[in-house]
Amino acid sequence: MTHIDINKPILDKNDKLAQSNRELLQEKKVFALDLMASPGAGKTTTILATIEALKDRYKIAVIEGDIASNVDALKIKAAGIPAIQINTGGICHLESDMIRSALDQLPLDELDFIIIENVGNLVCTTEFYLGEDAKVMILSVPEGDDKPHKYPGIFQTSKAVLISKIDTLPVFDFDREDFETTVKSLNPKAPIFPVSAKTGEGMEEWIDWLTAQIDKVKFA
């Protein structure tokens, strides 16, 4: 029996265009972050808090990925930041051709930092390289501490992990020690940042790490 892996040609095509995106971003010295999480994990709120901390230092834009609607892009624009909305129409992840279309609409010569808010999903967002400098994931306290056991791939792929809504820790049964131990077993190099965009807890450490990543590209 002949087995045909239909994912391989799809991923090969995606990766070739992603490499073109990578070369364009490198040429323009723009750092691109692919932010992944489940729906409701606090991606947009964390993005807005991150923008607030960095907007005086860097020129920032956001690419918003959703199956439908533009509610998050409108929130970003209300904060004074350029935002491009991508609606996938049912696809559970962004792909490199979608990112290229968005990049073509952005003033790359005037930017330092692009945040890509991927579609809410813990599985297929990990498989599609977009040309980004780093993938980072957010897991919220209410989602539970067992997610690294159930979805190891996204933790292995991420360059950093944020535990969001850390201010709710007293309310939920979330074993932070077990969570962090499991994440470190999957990805020893990834720093873990417990944060609350609402209270500001932990944001300084996250911003310091992110600033170092941006500056590596900006001043390369």
Side-chain angles (χ1 to χ4, degrees):
M1 179 183 293
T2 301
H3 176 73
I4 300 174
D5 184 355
I6 62 172
N7 288 323
K8 188 176 188 303
I10 295 172
L11 291 173
D12 284 349
K13 180 181 178 181
N14 178 83
D15 288 350
K16 287 178 181 177
L17 185 50
Q19 183 56 36
S20 175
N21 292 345
R22 175 92 295 276
E23 291 168 1
L24 175 62
L25 291 165
Q26 285 179 326
E27 176 190 343
K28 302 297 184 180
K29 294 185 178 295
V30 176
F31 179 85
L33 175 71
D34 179 12
L35 194 59
M36 309 175 294
S38 297
K43 292 195 302 297
T44 306
T45 305
T46 303
I47 287 171
L48 288 168
T50 300
I51 288 170
E52 183 62 28
L54 294 176
K55 66 181 182 181
D56 293 334
R57 181 166 183 164
Y58 303 113
K59 296 292 174 54
I60 306 170
V62 176
I63 299 173
E64 284 287 346
D66 286 295
I67 289 176
S69 88
N70 64 345
V71 293
D72 290 338
L74 291 176
K75 292 177 184 177
I76 301 298
K77 289 179 178 179
I81 300 298
I84 303 295
Q85 180 69 54
I86 299 174
N87 291 134
T88 66
I91 299 174
C92 61
H93 58 271
L94 293 175
E95 297 181 5
S96 57
D97 59 336
M98 302 173 188
I99 298 302
R100 188 49 175 256
S101 296
L103 293 177
D104 289 342
Q105 299 177 59
L106 289 170
L108 296 181
D109 289 323
E110 301 171 14
L111 295 177
D112 304 308
F113 178 30
I114 296 174
I115 303 172
I116 302 166
E117 182 174 352
N118 216 316
V119 179
N121 189 290
L122 292 183
V123 183
C124 50
T125 52
T126 65
E127 298 182 8
F128 285 81
Y129 177 46
L130 306 176
E132 73 281 350
D133 291 276
K135 289 184 182 292
V136 169
M137 78 152 300
I138 299 177
L139 180 94
S140 66
V141 168
E143 291 175 77
D145 54 56
D146 60 350
K147 295 303 178 289
H149 297 285
K150 294 181 176 181
Y151 307 100
I154 193 168
F155 293 92
Q156 292 169 324
T157 303
S158 297
K159 195 169 183 178
V161 174
L162 277 66
I163 309 174
S164 67
K165 306 182 184 180
I166 199 68
D167 54 302
T168 68
L169 201 56
V171 181
F172 292 94
D173 184 16
F174 186 96
D175 188 333
R176 179 174 163 184
E177 183 178 355
D178 181 68
F179 173 82
E180 294 190 6
T181 299
T182 306
V183 171
K184 287 299 183 184
S185 72
L186 294 168
N187 189 344
K189 293 183 178 180
I192 301 171
F193 299 104
V195 302
S196 169
K198 181 179 178 180
T199 67
E201 181 181 351
M203 287 299 294
E204 184 175 353
E205 292 81 4
W206 156 241
I207 293 300
D208 286 346
W209 180 86
L210 184 55
T211 296
Q213 306 307 308
I214 298 170
D215 285 351
K216 285 178 187 177
V217 172
K218 182 176 171 62
F219 299 112

